Amino acid sequence: LIFILIAILAWFMGYNGIETFFTLFATSTYGMTGGEATMMLTGFSLSFLAFALPAGFIGQKLGRTKTIRLGLVGISLLFIPILFHPAQFLLQILLIGGGFFWACININSLPMVLEFSSAKTVGSFTGYYYLFSFTAAILSPILFGVIRDLVGDYSMLFFYAVVCFLVALLAMFRVRI
């Protein structure tokens, strides 16, 4: 259980960093307007939404642990090219692909935590899940904000996210369920 909770903390730190700072990253790196950057990130969210049900089915067929690992590897591989500031069109494609892999991670994580619980402890285990995911939502903007201040720009955003996803992947290799 502790390793899935560590993984949840790590992948939500990566996700929340992007969610919080993407508009600033895109406006400073690509020179687009805030509205254009927001619309670009909407592709990620729409892709997540479109693949939410298929990700659940994949988790049932392949197994939740494998599906989450696949999602972590996939989103990391798609976000690595963003470190090299590809063309905006390619950035959009990478974000849309990232939404699919984020669905594989996110949709299967709460049910996986609940597999550790019994009928009497479902509420507590749901609380554990939200404790770790909300802690990431609080800590990640602060942590990346410090990194941004040290570096002086937003160029490290996707490096930060990929490192978080890889930490989550390492923790997922310790999950036994």
Side-chain angles (χ1 to χ4, degrees):
L1 175 63
I2 193 68
F3 288 108
I4 184 70
L5 294 173
I6 290 168
I8 289 166
L9 178 74
W11 70 56
F12 274 111
M13 288 194 66
Y15 170 77
N16 283 299
I18 293 170
E19 183 182 51
T20 303
F21 291 102
F22 180 79
T23 301
L24 294 167
F25 165 81
T27 56
S28 69
T29 304
Y30 287 92
M32 58 179 77
T33 67
E36 290 170 333
T38 301
M39 289 306 296
M40 184 171 278
L41 191 57
T42 300
F44 179 89
S45 299
L46 290 175
S47 175
F48 168 80
L49 185 62
F51 287 108
L53 285 175
F57 293 131
I58 292 168
Q60 287 175 339
K61 285 284 193 192
L62 190 61
R64 288 187 178 92
T65 304
K66 288 180 183 176
T67 303
I68 290 171
R69 288 177 187 161
L70 171 73
L72 289 165
V73 169
I75 201 167
S76 297
L77 290 175
L78 283 179
F79 285 178
I80 287 172
I82 299 173
L83 301 175
F84 304 101
H85 309 296
Q88 286 184 28
F89 177 75
L90 181 56
L91 175 62
Q92 183 69 72
I93 291 170
L94 294 170
L95 288 170
I96 290 169
F100 165 74
F101 288 112
W102 180 242
C104 289
I105 299 163
N106 193 338
I107 296 301
N108 289 289
S109 60
L110 177 59
M112 194 168 174
V113 169
L114 295 181
E115 287 178 19
F116 285 97
S117 72
S118 67
K120 292 181 180 182
T121 60
V122 167
S124 296
F125 281 71
T126 303
Y128 299 150
Y129 173 86
Y130 284 108
L131 173 67
F132 280 77
S133 63
F134 278 48
T135 299
I138 294 165
L139 293 179
S140 187
I142 296 167
L143 179 59
F144 183 74
V146 169
I147 293 168
R148 187 263 175 239
D149 288 347
L150 291 172
V151 174
D153 63 30
Y154 295 94
S155 63
M156 297 296 290
L157 178 60
F158 281 88
F159 179 78
Y160 169 82
V162 168
V163 168
C164 290
F165 294 141
L166 293 176
V167 168
L169 181 63
L170 290 174
M172 283 302 297
F173 280 112
R174 300 292 309 264
V175 174
R176 303 288 177 241
I177 193 164

